[in-house]
Structure formats: C-alpha cells, structure tokens
Amino acid sequence: MAMSRVEIETMIRAAFPDARVEVKDLAGDGEHYAASVVSAAFKGVSKVKQHQMVYAALKGKMGGDLHALALTTAES
C-alpha cells in the first residue's frame, strides 16, 4: 500500500522536530515523492549519513510502502 504525503511528513517531523520539511507527490500516484529536509541535526554530518538518517525515520517503509523518494537534505 502506498504512503501519503502527510504520512511521510509526519514520520520525518517526528524524527526531526526542528526541521523544515516539504514533501511533493511527483507523479500524482502516491508512489513517487520528492522531499526536502532542513535540520540542525545534520550539522557536520555527510550527505550520505543525512539521507540515511531520513530513511531511518521512515522506519523501513522505503522500498516497500514508499516506492521512490528523491531526497534533498541540508543543515539549518
């Protein structure tokens, strides 16, 4: 079952309460999303680790309920 944009935002915000989070449904199909996450938690952390942190916040949904996520991260 596909995830909604709201579910994705909620999971990311739960892991990064200070974050500015924007999630867009790229294809209108509930399966292909783009997310931008800006958080102080990323300070001094490599981009690869930042992305891993966001994927961890999605609690194993990536590749299952969440088919595709184009991810952009930055420290605030």
Side-chain angles (χ1 to χ4, degrees), residues 12-73:
I12 294 172
R13 287 183 199 282
F16 305 98
D18 74 309
R20 289 191 313 267
V21 180
E22 183 179 351
V23 178
K24 295 180 182 179
D25 186 341
L26 295 176
D29 61 3
E31 293 187 5
H32 298 83
Y33 291 95
S36 172
V37 184
V38 180
S39 172
F42 299 144
K43 184 173 180 164
V45 177
S46 73
K47 287 289 184 188
V48 170
K49 181 64 177 168
Q50 291 175 19
H51 287 211
Q52 289 171 340
M53 291 166 68
V54 174
Y55 293 144
L58 296 171
K59 302 184 187 307
K61 302 280 187 181
M62 192 67 222
D65 292 344
L66 179 55
H67 176 70
L69 180 67
L71 187 56
T72 303
T73 58

